[in-house]
Amino acid sequence: MDIELEQLAINLFDIGAFKFGEFVTKVGLKTPIYFDLRVLVSHPKIMTRLARMLLLFVEECPNVARICGVPYAALPLATLISIDSNVPMLIKRKEAKTYGTKKIIEGNFKPGDSCVIIEDVVTSGSSILETADILRREGLKVIEAFVVIDREQNGKKNIESHGILMRSLYTTTKLMTYLLKANKISPKIVKDVTDYLLISQAPIISPDTRLMMPFHIRASRCKNAIGSKLFNLMESKQSTICLAADLTKADAVIELADLVGPHIVLLKTHVDILEDFSDNFIKRLKELAKKHDFLLMEDRKFADIGNTVCLQYEKGIYKIAQWADVVTVHAIAGQSIIDGFKNSLKNISEPRGLFILAEMSSKGALTIGEYVQNAISIAQNSDIVVGVVCQSDIFSSPGLIQLTPGVKILKSSDDLGQQYNTPESVVNSGADLAVVGRGITEAEDKLAATLKYKEELWTAYIKRITS
């Protein structure tokens, strides 16, 4: 096997799978060597030989029921291994479908099936861990990962600390030995790479993921005071309800807030739908928020350029900046919208925060793909962002709050494309705060309905952090 690995390493070098110079890895580390195994798709004979070497690992692993390749570079290898071994393959999508079944895992399987992960190159191990996390949430058992190249930069340590055994065909050091022996690289390149490995390691990825950390610990990770307060409120009130008080009469909102206020942590309004809005309404609402210890969120979904957002936030008849603890913001305008809010906050003495809207609960929403990732990037790099409005676990920062709308005890949809999910399903999909609207506002006994949602959501949260 060693002779074949040596020859295969030379073949990989000859087709440009290894590059030397100055590069940056996915996790942001500068490196003098870069592995690009995507070129394999243009060299089927070499790709087949490589897949058969990995297949030896699969054959030594007992009771393998499924194979899953990390997208995208490892998918061709996983496909060839599946064909040769006759072990069914699964595909993890980059993001969940927004239509039909909304699957993030394609293929047939049943809970309890064992699944091995195939990957091309491991640096920090994050891609394997992300894949394993999703597979495990679907009920699959993930205990082994088979890799072409281990860069020897903490990836193996990270992966194995999460209960997954990792085996690789090559390490960077072994590859350097093969290539130097074949006169493909110089001793200086070997020294540069060796020195680099000694000083440049990927960060350790803690097994305590965001979803497993209790709120009181995550409160200390917040960059924003309102975010920290929300986490502590959820912990102290044992409630994760954000009540969507989408009513058109001021008195109706006030009456509802007074009734269920002790059992919610956030009251969400759309003040522009009120037919009788007044400054007195805001005064009464703030008094109730103080009395029952909950925060106020205006679900304005700001989406304009920075200067316009400043005016919409501070001015007009609503003067949102003066009373809303948090507001919702689309990421469509990019960083400029965050800068607009920062400018507005110079005139506000009380702490304020933003929820960035990354995904929507409506059918056919266009908040998918790169848009979502860019929204997450904005959220994770801002100290005024409290959290992210989304439908699934799409970020890892423990200091951010996932706010998920569309929650009903009975899963359903309305006639306008709004899709609902059960309390347990949204919590398992990453929700920290759950937006409950018509499940409470249209209930015959609104207090009883609130207590029911409070209990089911909190039970699901406790189960999530202790599982």
Side-chain angles (χ1 to χ4, degrees):
M1 184 175 178
D2 193 61
I3 295 174
E4 189 168 353
L5 284 173
E6 184 175 350
Q7 183 58 52
L8 191 53
I10 294 168
N11 295 148
L12 289 168
F13 176 87
D14 290 340
I15 65 172
F18 312 145
K19 295 177 173 62
F20 299 92
E22 278 195 24
F23 307 94
V24 177
T25 67
K26 177 184 174 182
V27 294
L29 297 174
K30 291 183 178 180
T31 173
I33 183 171
Y34 182 70
F35 301 112
D36 182 13
L37 297 189
R38 291 173 178 83
V39 299
L40 281 169
V41 296
S42 297
H43 302 275
K45 288 186 178 179
I46 296 175
M47 183 166 63
T48 300
R49 287 171 55 200
L50 189 58
R52 286 177 179 165
M53 298 299 288
L54 286 169
L55 175 60
L56 296 176
F57 290 158
V58 176
E59 291 175 340
E60 293 172 2
C61 184
N63 305 316
V64 176
R66 296 292 183 272
I67 292 170
C68 181
V70 176
Y72 290 105
L75 290 180
L77 293 171
T79 302
L80 291 173
I81 293 169
S82 176
I83 292 169
D84 284 346
S85 64
N86 199 33
V87 176
M89 178 177 161
L90 302 175
I91 296 177
K92 182 190 81 70
R93 300 174 65 91
K94 278 285 190 180
E95 61 273 326
K97 290 164 64 176
T98 59
Y99 54 89
T101 59
K102 293 190 173 183
K103 288 182 179 178
I104 195 165
I105 299 294
E106 300 290 355
N108 296 325
F109 61 91
K110 61 181 184 296
D113 283 345
S114 62
C115 181
V116 297
I117 294 174
I118 306 297
E119 175 65 302
D120 61 338
V121 181
V122 164
T123 304
S124 69
S126 61
S127 293
I128 285 179
L129 294 177
E130 288 167 10
T131 300
D133 184 52
I134 289 171
L135 292 170
R136 284 170 167 173
R137 286 188 210 175
E138 295 292 328
L140 290 148
K141 294 180 179 178
V142 183
I143 56 173
E144 297 203 53
F146 304 137
V147 177
V148 179
I149 302 168
D150 174 9
R151 288 184 60 100
E152 301 176 281
Q153 291 180 270
N154 272 339
K156 183 179 174 69
K157 182 177 181 180
N158 280 331
I159 290 165
E160 295 194 341
S161 72
H162 287 72
I164 301 170
L165 176 67
M166 191 194 97
R167 298 179 66 184
S168 62
L169 293 177
Y170 300 103
T171 62
T172 303
T173 302
K174 194 67 173 176
L175 275 173
M176 293 299 98
T177 301
Y178 288 146
L179 297 178
L180 180 63
K181 180 181 176 182
N183 295 315
K184 295 292 183 179
I185 57 175
S186 67
K188 183 181 184 307
I189 288 178
V190 175
K191 183 179 186 305
D192 288 345
V193 173
T194 302
D195 290 346
Y196 160 77
L197 291 176
L198 289 173
I199 63 172
S200 185
Q201 295 289 296
I204 297 297
I205 301 174
S206 170
D208 295 325
T209 64
R210 171 178 81 89
L211 302 189
M212 296 174 65
M213 294 174 66
F215 292 147
H216 69 273
I217 292 178
R218 292 174 61 187
S220 65
R221 308 287 182 89
C222 286
K223 298 178 183 178
N224 183 282
I226 289 293
S228 182
K229 185 172 183 178
L230 268 173
F231 273 128
N232 288 322
L233 271 178
M234 290 190 284
E235 188 90 40
S236 63
K237 298 182 82 168
Q238 295 192 1
S239 172
T240 57
I241 295 179
C242 169
L243 174 63
D246 297 336
L247 305 171
T248 60
K249 297 294 183 182
D251 284 346
V253 175
I254 294 297
E255 182 181 350
L256 179 64
D258 197 20
L259 177 68
V260 305
H263 308 290
I264 66 173
V265 295
L266 194 61
L267 182 78
K268 184 176 82 70
T269 59
H270 284 292
V271 289
D272 54 355
I273 69 172
L274 286 174
E275 298 171 352
D276 53 352
F277 175 83
S278 67
D279 290 342
N280 187 54
F281 164 74
I282 296 300
K283 179 176 179 292
R284 294 163 69 196
L285 196 60
K286 289 177 69 175
E287 288 172 351
L288 287 176
K290 184 176 181 180
K291 173 184 175 183
H292 296 305
D293 202 12
F294 60 81
L295 299 182
L296 299 174
M297 179 170 81
E298 168 54 21
D299 194 8
R300 177 64 175 78
K301 296 186 176 72
F302 293 93
D304 220 310
I305 61 173
N307 183 65
T308 303
V309 162
C310 284
L311 296 173
Q312 292 172 326
Y313 185 50
E314 295 183 70
K315 308 296 183 181
I317 63 173
Y318 302 121
K319 298 179 179 60
I320 297 168
Q322 295 183 13
W323 56 271
D325 298 293
V326 288
V327 295
T328 51
V329 178
H330 279 292
I332 189 68
Q335 182 61 39
S336 65
I337 200 167
I338 304 299
D339 296 338
F341 276 101
K342 279 199 168 185
N343 186 61
S344 295
L345 292 176
K346 294 176 183 177
N347 304 318
I348 305 297
S349 60
E350 298 175 331
R352 294 285 186 258
L354 313 176
F355 272 99
I356 291 286
L357 198 133
E359 292 180 325
M360 297 184 71
S361 57
S362 55
K363 184 178 181 180
L366 302 181
T367 48
I368 58 176
E370 286 189 17
Y371 179 88
V372 174
Q373 296 306 313
N374 288 331
I376 295 301
S377 179
I378 290 172
Q380 293 184 147
N381 289 288
S382 174
D383 59 1
I384 66 169
V385 174
V386 166
V388 179
V389 182
C390 56
Q391 296 295 305
S392 53
D393 178 23
I394 56 175
F395 65 90
S396 58
S397 299
L400 290 175
I401 297 170
Q402 179 177 324
L403 177 67
T404 299
V407 181
K408 261 192 175 181
I409 287 177
L410 297 176
K411 188 174 181 178
S412 61
S413 63
D414 66 11
D415 296 331
L416 297 176
Q418 170 71 316
Q419 300 175 105
Y420 293 101
N421 291 291
T422 64
E424 184 172 17
S425 69
V426 297
V427 172
N428 290 340
S429 294
D432 301 310
L433 266 175
V435 180
V436 185
R438 282 174 273 186
I440 291 175
T441 60
E442 296 180 358
E444 185 174 339
D445 188 334
K446 294 176 176 55
L447 179 58
T450 302
L451 293 173
K452 179 67 172 173
Y453 276 100
K454 179 182 179 182
E455 179 186 8
E456 289 201 13
L457 286 164
W458 189 256
T459 299
Y461 158 70
I462 294 298
K463 184 177 179 182
R464 187 178 81 183
I465 64 172
T466 56
S467 63

